[in-house]
Amino acid sequence: MSETEPRLAFEDNEYLPAVAQDADSGEVLMLAYVTPEALERTRETGRAHYYSRSRDELWEKGATSGHTQHVEEIRVDCDGDALLYLIDQEGGACHTGYHSCFYRTIDGDVVSEKVFDPDDVYE
Amino acid sequence: MSETEPRLAFEDNEYLPAVAQDADSGEVLMLAYVTPEALERTRETGRAHYYSRSRDELWEKGATSGHTQHVEEIRVDCDGDALLYLIDQEGGACHTGYHSCFYRTIDGDVVSEKVFDPDDVYE
């Protein structure tokens, strides 16, 4: 069933949170932010782009590490103020080497798999 | 493996985004925000609490609708600035009646299941 394109709440928010979820396993991999431009670039290229609030710039996930995210589908929440990227992750999502950035419980137990050594990837 | 409790970035952020994921199916259900108090209440009660930025108040998910979220595990991301609630959802997460708030693709296709009629739940 196809409906009208959901409205995105960019007029009230400079950027919106985007959750990246592994399209196959369902594991939630990371949360980052998007501007309209980052989202547009994601849709154009099929690779996840985000906006860094601290560096104040658009970035492509994996541009440095090679750990690109191929976007299979983009979903929008009811209020249009959050996005969900269903993705196919090259390597690992986390700069620490884990498959998911959510690799720890709040008590500090490690629950995600280490998939690369960050020393081999970032210099 | 147990490590030290992850540091949460509340000193740099008034509130942090929390993603609620169905612990069984892996479906991402909603994204909301938490303050230290909302998180503390969640840990104490085992039921998801959030902070409404628009209403400027702590709320318990399902307090009105009965659509409570039982929290099985809380995860923290690498930077300590996003949380993941693995939950067991009573009814549906979305006030529109869908199981997930992310019930639409960015093109407007409906991809989640309608599990209740909002007219029966909210007056």
XYZ file of all heavy atoms in Angstrom, chain A residues 38-102:
519
model
N 22.100 15.470 4.214
C 22.634 14.131 4.495
C 21.649 13.064 4.029
O 22.034 12.041 3.448
C 22.918 13.973 5.984
N 20.379 13.315 4.273
C 19.345 12.368 3.857
C 19.265 12.281 2.331
O 19.164 11.186 1.758
C 17.997 12.813 4.451
C 16.798 11.944 4.138
C 16.997 10.515 4.636
C 15.537 12.546 4.756
N 19.338 13.425 1.683
C 19.293 13.486 0.232
C 20.464 12.714 -0.382
O 20.291 11.928 -1.312
C 19.333 14.960 -0.218
C 19.093 15.168 -1.701
C 17.794 14.554 -2.190
O 16.799 14.562 -1.434
O 17.784 14.020 -3.327
N 21.657 12.915 0.184
C 22.849 12.223 -0.292
C 22.704 10.705 -0.099
O 23.122 9.917 -0.943
C 24.077 12.746 0.470
C 25.382 12.596 -0.252
C 25.536 13.553 -1.426
N 25.768 14.911 -0.986
C 26.960 15.413 -0.636
N 28.041 14.665 -0.735
N 27.091 16.662 -0.264
N 22.096 10.320 1.030
C 21.854 8.900 1.311
C 20.931 8.301 0.246
O 21.190 7.211 -0.275
C 21.208 8.739 2.711
O 22.104 9.273 3.686
C 20.915 7.292 3.031
N 19.877 9.023 -0.078
C 18.909 8.508 -1.056
C 19.513 8.444 -2.450
O 19.248 7.522 -3.216
C 17.644 9.367 -1.060
C 16.941 9.356 0.301
C 15.632 10.118 0.269
N 14.579 9.338 -0.390
C 13.327 9.743 -0.509
N 12.966 10.926 -0.049
N 12.427 8.983 -1.094
N 20.328 9.429 -2.772
C 20.953 9.470 -4.099
C 21.951 8.349 -4.306
O 22.018 7.747 -5.371
C 21.702 10.799 -4.290
C 20.847 11.959 -4.730
C 21.620 13.283 -4.631
O 22.866 13.242 -4.465
O 20.962 14.323 -4.697
N 22.778 8.106 -3.252
C 23.908 7.179 -3.411
C 23.585 5.760 -2.936
O 24.299 4.818 -3.290
C 25.117 7.657 -2.575
O 24.728 7.673 -1.194
C 25.557 9.047 -2.999
N 22.548 5.618 -2.063
C 22.272 4.321 -1.458
C 23.257 3.976 -0.352
O 23.249 2.859 0.160
N 24.101 4.917 0.028
C 25.042 4.718 1.137
C 24.724 5.734 2.235
O 24.453 6.907 1.945
C 26.493 4.907 0.657
C 26.928 3.892 -0.408
C 28.423 4.007 -0.710
N 28.832 5.370 -0.992
C 28.803 5.937 -2.196
N 28.386 5.269 -3.255
N 29.211 7.184 -2.353
N 24.791 5.257 3.495
C 24.374 6.097 4.619
C 25.286 7.307 4.798
O 26.508 7.164 4.899
C 24.336 5.279 5.896
N 24.669 8.473 4.825
C 25.342 9.729 5.149
C 24.697 10.306 6.402
O 23.484 10.158 6.606
C 25.202 10.732 4.006
C 26.007 10.387 2.791
N 25.726 9.299 1.994
C 27.098 10.992 2.250
C 26.615 9.257 0.998
N 27.448 10.263 1.130
N 25.500 10.960 7.208
C 25.011 11.578 8.432
C 25.586 12.985 8.544
O 26.377 13.412 7.702
C 25.432 10.743 9.655
C 24.939 9.316 9.638
C 25.765 8.269 9.206
C 23.655 9.011 10.074
C 25.312 6.951 9.202
C 23.199 7.693 10.076
C 24.033 6.669 9.636
O 23.580 5.372 9.631
N 25.164 13.652 9.634
C 25.678 14.986 9.891
C 26.323 14.978 11.264
O 25.686 14.602 12.248
C 24.530 15.991 9.858
C 25.001 17.394 10.103
C 25.599 18.127 9.085
C 24.864 17.974 11.350
C 26.054 19.415 9.315
C 25.325 19.259 11.584
C 25.914 19.965 10.562
O 26.365 21.234 10.795
N 27.585 15.349 11.338
C 28.278 15.405 12.630
C 28.000 16.738 13.300
O 28.369 17.795 12.775
C 29.788 15.227 12.438
O 30.434 15.571 13.653
N 27.360 16.681 14.468
C 27.043 17.910 15.198
C 28.308 18.518 15.790
O 28.449 19.732 15.843
C 26.031 17.614 16.310
C 24.708 17.097 15.751
C 23.738 16.745 16.867
N 24.298 15.740 17.761
C 23.788 15.417 18.948
N 22.696 16.021 19.384
N 24.335 14.476 19.682
N 29.261 17.671 16.200
C 30.482 18.221 16.814
C 31.418 18.804 15.755
O 32.011 19.852 15.947
C 31.202 17.148 17.628
O 31.460 16.005 16.832
N 31.544 18.137 14.624
C 32.428 18.639 13.564
C 31.694 19.567 12.609
O 32.300 20.173 11.731
C 33.036 17.473 12.769
C 33.959 16.562 13.580
C 34.777 15.636 12.678
N 33.971 14.985 11.643
C 33.311 13.839 11.810
N 33.346 13.202 12.959
N 32.600 13.315 10.823
N 30.372 19.628 12.757
C 29.544 20.513 11.945
C 29.730 20.243 10.452
O 29.961 21.162 9.656
C 29.903 21.984 12.286
C 28.858 22.958 11.760
O 27.732 22.527 11.471
O 29.190 24.146 11.622
N 29.652 18.950 10.096
C 29.811 18.618 8.682
C 29.102 17.323 8.307
O 28.872 16.457 9.145
C 31.305 18.522 8.313
C 32.030 17.398 9.030
C 33.498 17.294 8.635
O 34.067 18.277 8.134
O 34.075 16.202 8.844
N 28.749 17.262 7.055
C 28.180 16.054 6.469
C 29.272 15.000 6.383
O 30.413 15.326 6.054
C 27.690 16.411 5.053
C 27.011 15.340 4.231
C 25.565 15.171 4.676
C 27.029 15.724 2.751
N 28.946 13.748 6.696
C 29.953 12.693 6.516
C 29.296 11.435 5.980
O 28.114 11.185 6.205
C 30.718 12.403 7.806
C 29.892 11.941 8.985
C 29.039 12.705 9.718
C 29.856 10.624 9.565
N 28.473 11.939 10.728
C 28.956 10.679 10.665
C 30.503 9.413 9.278
C 28.681 9.555 11.468
C 30.222 8.308 10.073
C 29.319 8.385 11.150
N 30.089 10.683 5.234
C 29.616 9.395 4.753
C 30.194 8.318 5.654
O 31.416 8.244 5.848
C 30.066 9.139 3.313
C 29.560 7.781 2.834
C 30.081 7.353 1.475
O 30.531 8.225 0.702
O 30.035 6.136 1.201
N 29.327 7.490 6.205
C 29.789 6.384 7.046
C 30.700 5.487 6.227
O 30.311 5.046 5.135
C 28.578 5.595 7.551
C 28.914 4.329 8.330
C 29.585 4.634 9.642
C 30.057 3.362 10.322
N 30.955 3.659 11.473
N 31.913 5.241 6.731
C 32.842 4.345 6.045
C 33.772 5.042 5.076
O 34.612 4.379 4.473
N 33.646 6.373 4.934
C 34.510 7.086 3.985
C 35.983 6.904 4.364
O 36.845 6.788 3.494
C 34.147 8.572 3.941
N 36.278 6.869 5.663
C 37.653 6.660 6.128
C 37.972 5.172 6.313
O 39.006 4.687 5.864
C 37.873 7.363 7.497
O 37.500 8.726 7.369
C 39.317 7.243 7.952
N 37.071 4.468 6.962
C 37.341 3.086 7.384
C 37.009 2.044 6.314
O 37.446 0.898 6.411
C 36.486 2.774 8.618
O 35.100 2.871 8.292
N 36.228 2.429 5.330
C 35.734 1.452 4.360
C 34.502 0.717 4.852
O 33.947 -0.110 4.127
N 34.064 1.023 6.075
C 32.911 0.323 6.645
C 31.596 1.013 6.270
O 30.869 1.538 7.094
C 33.075 0.191 8.158
C 34.254 -0.658 8.539
N 34.740 -0.756 9.802
C 35.042 -1.465 7.779
C 35.782 -1.583 9.821
N 35.990 -2.015 8.601
N 31.351 0.946 4.976
C 30.193 1.575 4.361
C 28.886 0.905 4.801
O 28.883 -0.264 5.151
C 30.339 1.413 2.822
O 31.654 1.823 2.455
C 29.335 2.226 2.059
N 27.810 1.672 4.771
C 26.471 1.123 5.039
C 25.628 1.253 3.777
O 25.307 2.369 3.354
C 25.802 1.881 6.188
C 26.537 1.725 7.513
C 25.902 2.506 8.645
O 25.230 3.504 8.418
N 26.124 2.052 9.866
N 25.233 0.112 3.212
C 24.361 0.112 2.036
C 22.920 0.134 2.521
O 22.494 -0.758 3.251
C 24.627 -1.122 1.179
C 26.068 -1.233 0.784
N 26.609 -0.509 -0.253
C 27.094 -1.943 1.321
C 27.902 -0.778 -0.343
N 28.226 -1.654 0.598
N 22.193 1.150 2.128
C 20.850 1.375 2.666
C 19.808 0.653 1.810
O 19.658 0.950 0.628
C 20.548 2.885 2.748
C 19.134 3.117 3.253
C 21.568 3.578 3.645
N 19.113 -0.281 2.443
C 18.081 -1.033 1.716
C 16.723 -0.343 1.798
O 15.922 -0.440 0.880
C 17.980 -2.448 2.283
C 19.280 -3.216 2.096
C 19.129 -4.702 2.353
O 18.016 -5.156 2.675
O 20.151 -5.406 2.229
N 16.465 0.316 2.916
C 15.169 0.973 3.088
C 15.310 2.062 4.133
O 16.100 1.921 5.070
C 14.133 -0.071 3.539
C 12.700 0.413 3.503
C 11.716 -0.724 3.778
O 11.605 -1.655 2.951
O 11.071 -0.686 4.843
N 14.536 3.121 3.974
C 14.502 4.193 4.975
C 13.074 4.290 5.490
O 12.127 4.363 4.702
C 14.940 5.543 4.375
C 16.358 5.444 3.813
C 14.848 6.651 5.419
C 16.820 6.688 3.060
N 12.930 4.267 6.810
C 11.609 4.428 7.420
C 11.552 5.707 8.239
O 12.580 6.214 8.686
C 11.268 3.224 8.304
C 11.163 1.946 7.476
C 10.659 0.769 8.273
N 10.746 -0.443 7.460
C 10.684 -1.685 7.937
N 10.531 -1.877 9.235
N 10.769 -2.722 7.116
N 10.344 6.200 8.420
C 10.095 7.466 9.111
C 9.116 7.182 10.244
O 8.186 6.395 10.063
C 9.451 8.468 8.127
C 9.160 9.788 8.803
C 10.334 8.658 6.907
N 9.304 7.814 11.396
C 8.366 7.542 12.489
C 7.113 8.410 12.375
O 7.004 9.276 11.502
C 9.050 7.630 13.857
C 9.191 9.044 14.360
O 9.016 9.999 13.576
O 9.488 9.208 15.559
N 6.143 8.136 13.248
C 4.817 8.759 13.188
C 4.873 10.286 13.172
O 4.081 10.926 12.481
C 3.954 8.274 14.347
S 4.776 8.338 15.959
N 5.783 10.863 13.951
C 5.873 12.321 14.037
C 6.820 12.916 13.003
O 7.012 14.133 12.986
C 6.364 12.731 15.437
C 5.402 12.277 16.523
O 4.186 12.295 16.270
O 5.876 11.911 17.619
N 7.448 12.071 12.205
C 8.386 12.552 11.189
C 9.629 13.173 11.796
O 10.324 13.949 11.130
N 9.939 12.812 13.045
C 11.126 13.413 13.659
C 12.193 12.388 14.042
O 13.095 12.689 14.841
C 10.772 14.321 14.835
C 10.019 13.599 15.938
O 9.893 12.360 15.866
O 9.563 14.281 16.877
N 12.109 11.204 13.455
C 13.166 10.203 13.614
C 13.143 9.298 12.384
O 12.087 9.068 11.785
C 12.967 9.382 14.880
N 14.336 8.802 12.009
C 14.461 7.954 10.821
C 15.087 6.624 11.195
O 15.807 6.515 12.192
C 15.357 8.647 9.783
C 14.781 9.940 9.206
C 15.889 10.796 8.619
C 13.747 9.620 8.134
N 14.785 5.619 10.388
C 15.377 4.295 10.564
C 15.975 3.872 9.230
O 15.268 3.824 8.225
C 14.279 3.306 11.010
C 14.670 1.846 11.221
C 15.674 1.710 12.362
C 13.410 1.006 11.521
N 17.287 3.630 9.230
C 17.964 3.132 8.030
C 18.104 1.615 8.188
O 18.755 1.153 9.128
C 19.384 3.691 7.933
C 19.566 5.128 7.500
C 20.860 5.670 7.449
C 18.509 5.950 7.124
C 21.080 6.991 7.045
C 18.728 7.266 6.728
C 20.018 7.775 6.689
O 20.250 9.080 6.292
N 17.536 0.850 7.275
C 17.780 -0.598 7.256
C 18.956 -0.815 6.323
O 18.875 -0.502 5.127
C 16.538 -1.343 6.777
C 15.328 -1.183 7.699
C 14.101 -1.863 7.117
C 15.637 -1.746 9.068
N 20.040 -1.356 6.872
C 21.295 -1.322 6.120
C 22.012 -2.680 6.086
O 21.770 -3.566 6.894
C 22.266 -0.287 6.725
C 22.557 -0.630 8.206
C 21.730 1.113 6.634
C 24.000 -0.571 8.531
N 22.917 -2.736 5.123
C 23.843 -3.851 5.009
C 25.224 -3.260 5.337
O 25.721 -2.405 4.596
C 23.765 -4.379 3.565
C 24.713 -5.513 3.324
O 25.189 -6.122 4.293
O 24.992 -5.775 2.136
N 25.782 -3.682 6.477
C 27.006 -3.063 7.010
C 28.264 -3.768 6.523
O 28.435 -4.964 6.762
C 26.952 -3.104 8.552
C 28.196 -2.632 9.272
C 28.338 -1.114 9.222
O 27.439 -0.394 9.625
N 29.466 -0.637 8.709
N 29.162 -3.039 5.878
C 30.501 -3.566 5.592
C 31.319 -3.482 6.879
O 31.283 -2.437 7.561
C 31.215 -2.707 4.544
C 30.528 -2.589 3.213
C 30.811 -3.786 2.297
O 31.683 -4.611 2.626
O 30.143 -3.885 1.259
N 32.067 -4.520 7.219
C 32.904 -4.489 8.430
C 32.065 -4.297 9.669
O 31.059 -4.977 9.858
N 32.433 -3.358 10.525
C 31.668 -3.090 11.736
C 31.211 -1.650 11.774
O 31.848 -0.781 11.185
N 30.105 -1.399 12.473
C 29.575 -0.036 12.542
C 30.377 0.825 13.510
O 30.448 2.036 13.356
C 28.111 -0.058 12.963
N 30.978 0.189 14.519
C 31.571 0.968 15.610
C 33.073 1.189 15.416
O 33.802 0.257 15.069
C 31.311 0.284 16.947
S 31.698 1.348 18.349
N 33.508 2.406 15.709
C 34.936 2.745 15.564
C 35.806 1.964 16.555
O 37.018 1.910 16.403
C 35.149 4.252 15.741
C 34.973 4.722 17.158
N 33.729 4.818 17.758
C 35.861 5.099 18.097
C 33.880 5.250 19.006
N 35.156 5.426 19.238
N 35.170 1.342 17.569
C 35.924 0.545 18.547
C 36.183 -0.872 18.040
O 36.870 -1.646 18.704
C 35.138 0.435 19.865
O 33.872 -0.193 19.582
C 34.898 1.792 20.493
N 35.568 -1.241 16.882
C 35.790 -2.563 16.317
C 34.621 -3.520 16.491
O 34.631 -4.622 15.941
N 33.618 -3.094 17.248
C 32.448 -3.957 17.422
C 31.496 -3.801 16.238
O 31.474 -2.763 15.572
C 31.719 -3.626 18.730
C 32.497 -4.086 19.942
C 33.313 -3.203 20.645
C 32.445 -5.410 20.358
C 34.047 -3.628 21.743
C 33.184 -5.848 21.452
C 33.979 -4.958 22.133
O 34.707 -5.386 23.211
N 30.690 -4.859 16.031
C 29.716 -4.795 14.942
C 28.713 -3.685 15.221
O 28.317 -2.948 14.316
C 28.994 -6.148 14.813
C 28.056 -6.225 13.646
N 28.427 -5.919 12.355
C 26.741 -6.566 13.576
C 27.396 -6.072 11.545
N 26.364 -6.447 12.260
N 28.300 -3.543 16.480
C 27.335 -2.514 16.873
C 27.959 -1.526 17.849
O 28.744 -1.910 18.725
C 26.127 -3.170 17.546
O 25.307 -2.198 18.165
N 27.581 -0.249 17.726
C 27.988 0.742 18.726
C 27.336 0.455 20.078
O 27.856 0.854 21.114
C 27.584 2.144 18.271
S 28.515 2.719 16.840
N 26.199 -0.235 20.069
C 25.515 -0.595 21.318
C 26.068 -1.939 21.797
O 25.324 -2.899 21.944
C 24.002 -0.661 21.090
C 23.380 0.663 20.753
C 23.197 1.043 19.428
C 22.988 1.546 21.748
C 22.631 2.276 19.100
C 22.421 2.774 21.433
C 22.243 3.147 20.107
